[in-house]
Coordinates of all heavy atoms in Angstrom, one line a residue:
M1 N -106.4 -63.7 126.6 CA -107.1 -64.2 127.8 C -108.4 -64.9 127.4 O -109.1 -64.5 126.6 CB -107.4 -63.0 128.7 CG -108.3 -63.4 129.8 SD -108.8 -62.0 130.9 CE -109.7 -60.9 129.9
V2 N -108.6 -66.0 128.0 CA -109.9 -66.8 127.9 C -110.6 -66.7 129.1 O -110.1 -66.8 130.2 CB -109.5 -68.3 127.5 CG1 -110.7 -69.2 127.4 CG2 -108.7 -68.5 126.2
V3 N -112.0 -66.4 128.9 CA -112.9 -66.4 129.9 C -113.9 -67.4 129.8 O -114.3 -67.8 128.7 CB -113.6 -65.0 129.9 CG1 -114.7 -64.9 130.9 CG2 -112.5 -63.8 130.0
R4 N -114.3 -68.0 130.9 CA -115.3 -69.1 130.9 C -116.3 -68.8 131.9 O -116.1 -68.1 132.9 CB -114.7 -70.5 131.1 CG -114.1 -70.7 132.5 CD -113.5 -72.1 132.6 NE -112.9 -72.2 133.9 CZ -113.4 -72.3 135.0 NH1 -114.7 -72.4 135.1 NH2 -112.8 -72.5 136.2
I5 N -117.4 -69.4 131.8 CA -118.5 -69.3 132.8 C -118.2 -70.3 134.0 O -118.0 -71.4 133.9 CB -119.9 -69.8 132.3 CG1 -120.3 -68.8 131.1 CG2 -121.0 -69.7 133.4 CD1 -121.5 -69.4 130.4
A6 N -118.0 -69.6 135.2 CA -117.6 -70.3 136.4 C -118.9 -70.8 137.2 O -118.9 -71.8 137.8 CB -116.8 -69.5 137.3
Q7 N -119.9 -69.9 137.1 CA -121.1 -70.1 137.9 C -122.3 -69.4 137.2 O -122.1 -68.3 136.7 CB -121.0 -69.7 139.3 CG -122.1 -69.8 140.2 CD -121.7 -69.6 141.7 OE1 -121.2 -70.4 142.3 NE2 -122.1 -68.4 142.1
C8 N -123.5 -70.0 137.3 CA -124.7 -69.4 136.9 C -125.5 -69.1 138.1 O -125.8 -70.0 138.9 CB -125.5 -70.3 136.0 SG -127.0 -69.6 135.3
T9 N -125.8 -67.9 138.4 CA -126.5 -67.4 139.5 C -128.0 -67.0 139.2 O -128.2 -66.2 138.3 CB -125.8 -66.3 140.3 OG1 -124.5 -66.7 140.6 CG2 -126.5 -65.9 141.5
L10 N -128.9 -67.6 140.0 CA -130.4 -67.3 139.8 C -131.0 -66.9 141.1 O -130.9 -67.5 142.2 CB -131.1 -68.5 139.3 CG -130.7 -69.1 137.8 CD1 -131.0 -70.6 137.8 CD2 -131.5 -68.3 136.9
D11 N -131.7 -65.8 141.1 CA -132.6 -65.4 142.2 C -133.8 -66.1 142.0 O -134.4 -66.2 140.9 CB -132.9 -63.9 142.2 CG -131.6 -63.1 142.6 OD1 -130.7 -63.7 143.1 OD2 -131.7 -61.9 142.4
V12 N -134.4 -66.9 143.0 CA -135.6 -67.8 142.9 C -136.6 -67.5 144.0 O -136.2 -67.2 145.2 CB -135.2 -69.2 142.8 CG1 -134.3 -69.5 141.7 CG2 -134.6 -69.7 144.1
E13 N -137.8 -67.5 143.7 CA -138.9 -67.3 144.6 C -139.0 -68.5 145.6 O -139.0 -68.4 146.7 CB -140.2 -67.0 144.0 CG -141.4 -66.8 144.9 CD -142.7 -66.5 144.2 OE1 -142.7 -66.4 143.0 OE2 -143.6 -66.3 145.0
D14 N -139.1 -69.7 145.0 CA -139.3 -70.9 145.7 C -138.0 -71.9 145.7 O -137.8 -72.6 144.7 CB -140.5 -71.8 145.2 CG -140.9 -73.0 145.9 OD1 -139.9 -73.6 146.6 OD2 -142.0 -73.3 145.9
L15 N -137.1 -71.7 146.6 CA -135.8 -72.4 146.5 C -136.0 -73.8 146.4 O -135.3 -74.5 145.6 CB -135.1 -71.9 147.8 CG -133.6 -72.5 147.9 CD1 -132.7 -71.9 146.7 CD2 -132.9 -72.4 149.2
D16 N -136.8 -74.4 147.3 CA -137.0 -75.9 147.2 C -137.3 -76.4 145.8 O -136.8 -77.4 145.3 CB -137.9 -76.4 148.3 CG -137.4 -76.2 149.7 OD1 -136.1 -76.2 149.8 OD2 -138.2 -76.1 150.6
L17 N -138.4 -75.7 145.3 CA -138.8 -76.1 143.9 C -137.7 -76.0 142.9 O -137.5 -77.0 142.2 CB -140.0 -75.3 143.5 CG -140.6 -75.6 142.2 CD1 -141.2 -77.0 142.1 CD2 -141.6 -74.5 141.9
M18 N -137.0 -74.9 142.9 CA -135.9 -74.8 141.9 C -134.8 -75.6 142.2 O -134.1 -76.1 141.2 CB -135.5 -73.3 141.9 CG -136.5 -72.3 141.4 SD -136.8 -72.6 139.6 CE -138.3 -73.6 139.6
V19 N -134.4 -76.0 143.4 CA -133.4 -77.0 143.7 C -133.7 -78.3 143.1 O -133.0 -79.0 142.4 CB -133.1 -77.1 145.2 CG1 -132.3 -78.3 145.5 CG2 -132.3 -75.8 145.8
S20 N -135.0 -78.7 143.3 CA -135.4 -80.0 142.8 C -135.4 -79.9 141.2 O -134.9 -81.0 140.7 CB -136.9 -80.2 143.3 OG -137.4 -81.4 142.9
F21 N -135.9 -78.9 140.6 CA -135.9 -78.9 139.1 C -134.4 -78.7 138.6 O -134.2 -79.7 137.7 CB -136.6 -77.5 138.7 CG -136.5 -77.4 137.2 CD1 -137.2 -78.0 136.3 CD2 -135.5 -76.5 136.7 CE1 -137.1 -77.9 134.9 CE2 -135.4 -76.3 135.3 CZ -136.1 -77.0 134.4
W22 N -133.6 -77.9 139.0 CA -132.3 -77.7 138.4 C -131.3 -78.9 138.7 O -130.6 -79.4 137.9 CB -131.6 -76.5 138.9 CG -132.3 -75.3 138.1 CD1 -133.0 -74.3 138.6 CD2 -132.1 -74.9 136.7 NE1 -133.3 -73.4 137.7 CE2 -132.7 -73.7 136.5 CE3 -131.4 -75.5 135.7 CZ2 -132.8 -73.2 135.2 CZ3 -131.5 -75.0 134.4 CH2 -132.2 -73.9 134.1
S23 N -131.4 -79.5 139.9 CA -130.6 -80.7 140.1 C -131.0 -81.8 139.3 O -130.2 -82.6 138.9 CB -130.6 -81.0 141.7 OG -131.9 -81.4 142.1
A24 N -132.3 -82.0 139.2 CA -132.8 -83.2 138.3 C -132.5 -82.8 136.9 O -132.0 -83.7 136.1 CB -134.3 -83.4 138.4
A25 N -132.7 -81.6 136.4 CA -132.4 -81.3 135.0 C -131.0 -81.6 134.6 O -130.7 -81.9 133.5 CB -132.9 -79.9 134.6
L26 N -130.1 -81.0 135.5 CA -128.6 -81.1 135.2 C -127.9 -82.3 135.8 O -126.8 -82.5 135.3 CB -128.0 -79.8 135.7 CG -128.5 -78.5 135.2 CD1 -127.8 -77.3 136.0 CD2 -128.2 -78.4 133.7
G27 N -128.6 -82.9 136.6 CA -127.9 -84.1 137.3 C -126.8 -83.6 138.3 O -125.8 -84.5 138.6
Y28 N -127.0 -82.5 138.8 CA -126.1 -81.9 139.8 C -126.3 -82.3 141.2 O -127.5 -82.5 141.6 CB -126.1 -80.3 139.6 CG -125.2 -79.8 138.5 CD1 -125.0 -80.5 137.4 CD2 -124.7 -78.5 138.7 CE1 -124.2 -79.9 136.4 CE2 -124.0 -77.9 137.6 CZ -123.7 -78.6 136.5 OH -122.9 -78.0 135.6
E29 N -125.4 -82.2 142.1 CA -125.4 -82.5 143.4 C -125.7 -81.2 144.2 O -125.2 -80.2 143.8 CB -124.2 -83.2 144.0 CG -123.9 -84.5 143.3 CD -122.5 -85.1 143.6 OE1 -121.7 -84.5 144.4 OE2 -122.2 -86.1 143.0
V30 N -126.5 -81.3 145.3 CA -127.0 -80.1 146.0 C -126.2 -79.9 147.4 O -126.1 -80.9 148.1 CB -128.5 -80.3 146.2 CG1 -129.0 -79.0 147.1 CG2 -129.3 -80.4 144.9
E31 N -125.8 -78.7 147.6 CA -125.3 -78.3 149.0 C -126.2 -77.2 149.3 O -126.1 -76.0 148.8 CB -123.8 -77.9 148.8 CG -123.4 -77.4 150.1 CD -121.8 -76.9 149.9 OE1 -121.2 -77.3 149.0 OE2 -121.4 -76.0 150.6
Q32 N -127.2 -77.4 150.3 CA -128.2 -76.4 150.6 C -127.5 -75.6 151.9 O -127.1 -76.2 152.8 CB -129.5 -76.9 151.0 CG -130.6 -76.0 151.1 CD -131.8 -76.4 150.4 OE1 -131.8 -77.4 149.8 NE2 -132.9 -75.6 150.4
G33 N -127.6 -74.3 151.7 CA -127.1 -73.5 152.9 C -128.2 -73.1 153.9 O -129.3 -73.3 153.7
D34 N -127.7 -72.6 155.0 CA -128.6 -72.2 156.0 C -129.2 -70.8 155.8 O -130.0 -70.3 156.6 CB -128.0 -72.1 157.4 CG -127.6 -73.6 157.9 OD1 -128.1 -74.6 157.4 OD2 -126.5 -73.7 158.6
D35 N -128.7 -70.1 154.7 CA -129.1 -68.7 154.5 C -130.2 -68.5 153.4 O -130.3 -67.5 152.8 CB -127.9 -67.9 154.1 CG -127.2 -68.4 152.9 OD1 -127.5 -69.6 152.3 OD2 -126.2 -67.9 152.4
G36 N -130.8 -69.6 153.0 CA -131.8 -69.5 152.0 C -131.3 -69.6 150.5 O -131.8 -69.1 149.6
S37 N -130.1 -70.2 150.4 CA -129.5 -70.5 149.1 C -129.0 -72.0 149.1 O -129.0 -72.6 149.9 CB -128.2 -69.5 149.0 OG -127.2 -70.0 150.0
A38 N -128.7 -72.3 147.8 CA -128.2 -73.6 147.5 C -127.2 -73.5 146.3 O -127.3 -72.8 145.4 CB -129.3 -74.5 147.1
K39 N -126.2 -74.3 146.5 CA -125.1 -74.5 145.5 C -125.2 -75.8 144.8 O -125.3 -76.9 145.5 CB -123.8 -74.2 146.0 CG -122.7 -74.2 144.9 CD -121.6 -73.2 145.2 CE -120.7 -73.1 144.0 NZ -119.7 -72.0 144.2
L40 N -125.2 -75.9 143.5 CA -125.4 -77.2 142.7 C -124.1 -77.4 142.0 O -123.6 -76.5 141.4 CB -126.5 -77.1 141.7 CG -127.9 -77.3 142.3 CD1 -128.3 -76.2 143.2 CD2 -129.0 -77.3 141.1
W41 N -123.6 -78.6 142.3 CA -122.2 -79.0 141.7 C -122.4 -80.0 140.8 O -123.2 -81.0 140.8 CB -121.3 -79.6 142.9 CG -121.0 -78.6 144.0 CD1 -121.9 -78.3 145.1 CD2 -120.1 -77.7 144.2 NE1 -121.4 -77.4 145.9 CE2 -120.2 -77.0 145.3 CE3 -118.9 -77.5 143.4 CZ2 -119.3 -76.0 145.7 CZ3 -118.1 -76.5 143.8 CH2 -118.3 -75.7 145.0
P42 N -121.5 -80.0 139.7 CA -121.5 -81.1 138.8 C -121.2 -82.5 139.4 O -120.4 -82.4 140.4 CB -120.5 -80.8 137.7 CG -120.3 -79.3 137.8 CD -120.6 -79.0 139.2
P43 N -121.7 -83.6 139.1 CA -121.5 -84.8 139.7 C -120.1 -85.3 139.6 O -119.3 -85.0 138.7 CB -122.5 -85.8 139.1 CG -122.8 -85.2 137.7 CD -122.6 -83.7 137.8
G44 N -119.6 -86.1 140.6 CA -118.4 -86.8 140.5 C -117.2 -85.8 140.7 O -117.3 -84.9 141.5
Q45 N -116.2 -85.9 139.9 CA -115.1 -85.1 140.0 C -115.2 -84.1 138.7 O -114.5 -84.3 137.7 CB -113.8 -85.8 139.8 CG -113.5 -86.9 141.0 CD -113.2 -86.2 142.2 OE1 -112.6 -85.2 142.2 NE2 -113.7 -86.7 143.4
P46 N -115.9 -83.0 139.0 CA -116.1 -82.0 137.9 C -114.8 -81.4 137.4 O -114.0 -81.2 138.3 CB -117.0 -81.0 138.4 CG -116.8 -81.1 140.0 CD -116.5 -82.5 140.3
S47 N -114.7 -81.0 136.2 CA -113.6 -80.3 135.7 C -113.8 -78.8 135.9 O -114.9 -78.4 136.2 CB -113.5 -80.5 134.2 OG -114.4 -79.9 133.4
A48 N -112.8 -78.0 135.8 CA -112.9 -76.6 136.0 C -113.8 -76.0 135.0 O -114.3 -74.8 135.2 CB -111.4 -76.0 135.9
A49 N -114.0 -76.6 133.8 CA -114.9 -76.2 132.7 C -116.3 -76.3 133.1 O -117.2 -75.7 132.4 CB -114.5 -76.8 131.5
A50 N -116.7 -77.1 134.0 CA -118.1 -77.3 134.4 C -118.5 -76.3 135.3 O -118.2 -76.2 136.4 CB -118.3 -78.8 135.0
P51 N -119.5 -75.4 135.0 CA -119.9 -74.4 135.9 C -120.9 -74.9 137.0 O -121.5 -75.9 136.9 CB -120.8 -73.4 134.9 CG -121.3 -74.3 133.8 CD -120.2 -75.3 133.6
T52 N -120.8 -74.2 138.1 CA -121.8 -74.6 139.2 C -123.0 -73.6 139.0 O -123.0 -72.7 138.2 CB -121.1 -74.2 140.6 OG1 -120.7 -72.9 140.6 CG2 -119.9 -75.1 140.9
V53 N -124.0 -74.0 139.8 CA -125.3 -73.2 139.7 C -125.5 -72.7 141.2 O -125.5 -73.5 142.1 CB -126.4 -74.0 139.3 CG1 -127.7 -73.1 139.4 CG2 -126.2 -74.4 137.8
W54 N -125.7 -71.4 141.5 CA -126.0 -70.8 142.7 C -127.4 -70.3 142.6 O -127.8 -69.5 141.9 CB -125.2 -69.7 142.9 CG -125.2 -69.0 144.3 CD1 -125.9 -67.9 144.6 CD2 -124.8 -69.6 145.6 NE1 -125.9 -67.6 146.0 CE2 -125.2 -68.6 146.5 CE3 -124.1 -70.7 145.9 CZ2 -124.9 -68.8 147.9 CZ3 -123.8 -70.9 147.3 CH2 -124.1 -70.0 148.3
L55 N -128.3 -70.9 143.6 CA -129.6 -70.5 143.7 C -129.9 -69.6 144.9 O -129.6 -70.1 146.1 CB -130.6 -71.7 143.7 CG -130.5 -72.6 142.5 CD1 -131.4 -73.9 142.7 CD2 -131.0 -71.9 141.2
Q56 N -130.3 -68.4 144.8 CA -130.5 -67.5 145.9 C -131.9 -67.3 146.1 O -132.7 -66.8 145.2 CB -129.8 -66.1 145.6 CG -128.4 -66.2 145.3 CD -127.8 -64.8 145.0 OE1 -126.8 -64.4 145.7 NE2 -128.4 -64.1 144.1
G57 N -132.4 -67.7 147.3 CA -133.8 -67.6 147.6 C -134.2 -66.1 147.8 O -133.6 -65.3 148.6
S58 N -135.1 -65.6 147.0 CA -135.6 -64.2 147.1 C -136.8 -64.0 147.8 O -137.1 -63.0 148.5 CB -135.7 -63.5 145.7 OG -136.8 -64.1 145.2
G59 N -137.7 -65.0 147.8 CA -138.9 -65.0 148.6 C -139.9 -64.1 147.9 O -141.0 -64.0 148.5
T60 N -139.6 -63.5 146.8 CA -140.6 -62.7 146.1 C -140.7 -63.1 144.7 O -139.8 -63.7 144.1 CB -140.1 -61.2 146.1 OG1 -138.9 -61.0 145.5 CG2 -140.0 -60.7 147.6
A61 N -141.9 -62.8 144.1 CA -142.1 -63.1 142.7 C -141.2 -62.1 141.8 O -140.8 -61.1 142.2 CB -143.6 -62.7 142.3
K62 N -140.9 -62.6 140.6 CA -140.0 -61.9 139.7 C -140.8 -60.7 139.2 O -142.0 -60.7 138.9 CB -139.7 -62.8 138.5 CG -138.8 -62.0 137.4 CD -138.8 -62.8 136.1 CE -138.0 -62.1 135.1 NZ -138.8 -60.9 134.6
R63 N -140.1 -59.5 139.2 CA -140.6 -58.2 138.7 C -139.5 -57.6 138.0 O -138.5 -57.5 138.4 CB -141.2 -57.3 139.8 CG -142.3 -58.0 140.6 CD -142.6 -57.1 141.7 NE -143.4 -58.0 142.6 CZ -144.2 -57.7 143.6 NH1 -144.4 -56.5 143.8 NH2 -144.8 -58.6 144.3
G64 N -139.9 -57.1 136.8 CA -138.8 -56.4 136.0 C -137.9 -57.2 135.3 O -138.1 -58.2 134.8
K65 N -136.5 -56.9 135.6 CA -135.4 -57.6 134.9 C -135.3 -59.0 135.2 O -135.7 -59.5 136.3 CB -134.1 -56.8 135.0 CG -133.7 -56.8 136.5 CD -132.3 -56.1 136.6 CE -131.7 -56.3 137.9 NZ -130.3 -55.8 138.0
N66 N -134.6 -59.8 134.4 CA -134.3 -61.1 134.7 C -133.4 -61.3 135.8 O -132.6 -60.4 136.0 CB -133.7 -61.8 133.4 CG -134.7 -62.0 132.3 OD1 -135.8 -62.2 132.5 ND2 -134.2 -62.0 131.1
R67 N -133.5 -62.4 136.5 CA -132.8 -62.5 137.7 C -131.7 -63.6 137.5 O -131.6 -64.7 138.2 CB -133.7 -63.1 138.9 CG -134.7 -62.1 139.3 CD -135.6 -62.7 140.2 NE -136.4 -61.7 140.9 CZ -137.1 -61.9 142.0 NH1 -137.0 -63.1 142.6 NH2 -137.9 -61.0 142.5
L68 N -130.9 -63.4 136.5 CA -129.8 -64.3 136.1 C -128.6 -63.5 135.8 O -128.6 -62.5 135.1 CB -130.2 -65.1 134.9 CG -129.1 -65.9 134.2 CD1 -128.7 -67.0 135.0 CD2 -129.5 -66.3 132.8
H69 N -127.4 -63.9 136.4 CA -126.2 -63.3 136.0 C -125.1 -64.5 135.9 O -125.3 -65.5 136.6 CB -125.8 -62.2 136.8 CG -125.3 -62.6 138.2 ND1 -126.1 -62.5 139.3 CD2 -124.1 -62.9 138.7 CE1 -125.5 -62.9 140.3 NE2 -124.3 -63.2 140.0
L70 N -124.2 -64.4 135.1 CA -123.1 -65.4 134.8 C -121.9 -64.8 135.5 O -121.5 -63.8 135.3 CB -122.9 -65.6 133.3 CG -124.0 -66.1 132.6 CD1 -123.6 -66.2 131.1 CD2 -124.5 -67.4 133.0
D71 N -121.3 -65.7 136.4 CA -120.0 -65.3 137.0 C -119.0 -65.9 136.0 O -118.9 -67.1 135.8 CB -119.9 -66.0 138.4 CG -120.9 -65.4 139.3 OD1 -121.2 -64.2 139.2 OD2 -121.4 -66.1 140.2
L72 N -118.0 -65.1 135.7 CA -116.9 -65.5 134.7 C -115.5 -65.6 135.5 O -115.3 -65.0 136.5 CB -116.9 -64.5 133.6 CG -118.1 -64.3 132.8 CD1 -117.8 -63.1 131.7 CD2 -118.6 -65.5 132.1
V73 N -114.7 -66.4 134.9 CA -113.4 -66.5 135.4 C -112.4 -66.5 134.2 O -112.7 -67.1 133.2 CB -113.2 -67.9 136.3 CG1 -113.3 -69.0 135.5 CG2 -111.8 -67.8 137.0
A74 N -111.3 -65.9 134.3 CA -110.3 -65.8 133.2 C -109.1 -66.7 133.5 O -108.8 -67.0 134.6 CB -109.8 -64.3 133.1
D75 N -108.5 -67.1 132.4 CA -107.3 -68.1 132.6 C -106.1 -67.2 133.0 O -105.1 -67.8 133.3 CB -107.1 -68.8 131.4 CG -106.7 -68.0 130.1 OD1 -106.9 -66.7 130.1 OD2 -106.3 -68.6 129.1
T76 N -106.1 -65.9 132.8 CA -105.0 -65.1 133.3 C -105.6 -63.9 134.0 O -106.8 -63.6 133.9 CB -104.1 -64.6 132.1 OG1 -105.0 -63.9 131.2 CG2 -103.5 -65.7 131.3
D77 N -104.7 -63.1 134.7 CA -105.2 -61.9 135.4 C -105.5 -60.8 134.4 O -104.5 -60.3 133.6 CB -104.2 -61.4 136.3 CG -104.6 -60.2 137.1 OD1 -105.9 -60.1 137.3 OD2 -103.8 -59.6 137.7
P78 N -106.7 -60.4 134.1 CA -107.0 -59.3 133.2 C -106.3 -58.0 133.5 O -106.4 -57.6 134.7 CB -108.6 -59.3 133.1 CG -109.0 -59.9 134.4 CD -107.9 -60.8 134.8
K79 N -105.9 -57.4 132.5 CA -105.2 -56.0 132.7 C -106.1 -55.0 132.2 O -106.7 -55.2 131.1 CB -103.9 -56.0 131.9 CG -102.9 -57.0 132.2 CD -102.2 -56.9 133.5 CE -101.1 -57.8 133.7 NZ -101.4 -58.8 134.7
P80 N -106.3 -53.9 132.9 CA -107.2 -52.8 132.4 C -106.7 -52.4 131.1 O -105.5 -52.1 130.9 CB -107.1 -51.8 133.5 CG -106.5 -52.5 134.7 CD -105.8 -53.6 134.3
R81 N -107.6 -52.0 130.2 CA -107.2 -51.5 128.9 C -108.1 -50.4 128.5 O -109.2 -50.5 128.7 CB -107.4 -52.7 127.9 CG -106.7 -52.3 126.6 CD -106.7 -53.6 125.7 NE -107.7 -53.3 124.6 CZ -108.2 -54.1 123.9 NH1 -108.0 -55.4 124.1 NH2 -109.0 -53.9 122.9
Y82 N -107.5 -49.3 127.9 CA -108.3 -48.2 127.4 C -108.3 -48.2 126.0 O -107.2 -48.2 125.4 CB -107.7 -46.9 128.0 CG -108.4 -45.7 127.6 CD1 -109.7 -45.4 128.0 CD2 -107.9 -44.8 126.6 CE1 -110.4 -44.3 127.5 CE2 -108.5 -43.8 126.1 CZ -109.7 -43.5 126.6 OH -110.4 -42.4 126.1
D83 N -109.4 -48.3 125.4 CA -109.5 -48.3 123.9 C -109.9 -46.9 123.4 O -110.2 -46.8 122.2 CB -110.6 -49.3 123.4 CG -110.2 -50.7 123.7 OD1 -109.0 -51.1 123.7 OD2 -111.1 -51.5 123.9
G84 N -110.0 -46.0 124.3 CA -110.3 -44.6 123.9 C -111.8 -44.4 123.6 O -112.3 -43.5 123.0
C85 N -112.7 -45.4 124.1 CA -114.0 -45.3 123.9 C -114.7 -44.8 125.2 O -114.3 -44.9 126.2 CB -114.7 -46.8 123.7 SG -114.0 -47.5 122.2

């Protein structure tokens, strides 16, 4: 099974600022939601290998752990496996 990054998700304090930064940095197109979030898409006809970026407005300053997680997708349906660990 091959796994790839499907989406990078970030919690952000200032959604407009981060949309501006990430869309300019990556050259991605913006789809802003009504719920305080935005999805950034690779330009043109992106391949399945190009990850999207999801920005979730938190409205609060970062405290503690990093606010980033990667959404993965597999090329096949993963089967549960027990390694005895």
Side-chain angles (χ1 to χ4, degrees):
M1 171 179 65
V2 175
V3 176
R4 65 176 177 80
I5 297 170
Q7 178 170 281
C8 180
T9 302
L10 293 153
D11 290 347
V12 298
E13 180 179 359
D14 185 332
L15 181 67
D16 292 334
L17 179 65
M18 291 295 97
V19 164
S20 181
F21 172 80
W22 284 110
S23 62
L26 299 173
Y28 275 28
E29 298 170 7
V30 178
E31 179 184 333
Q32 194 134 357
D34 295 332
D35 60 353
S37 67
K39 186 143 189 172
L40 280 60
W41 299 89
Q45 296 292 325
S47 72
T52 57
V53 176
W54 183 258
L55 300 174
Q56 300 179 129
S58 68
T60 60
K62 179 191 173 294
R63 295 175 202 197
K65 67 179 187 169
N66 289 332
R67 296 177 169 190
L68 166 71
H69 70 267
L70 302 176
D71 295 326
L72 305 176
V73 66
D75 65 348
T76 60
D77 187 21
K79 305 285 187 250
R81 191 175 111 199
Y82 177 70
D83 289 330
C85 298

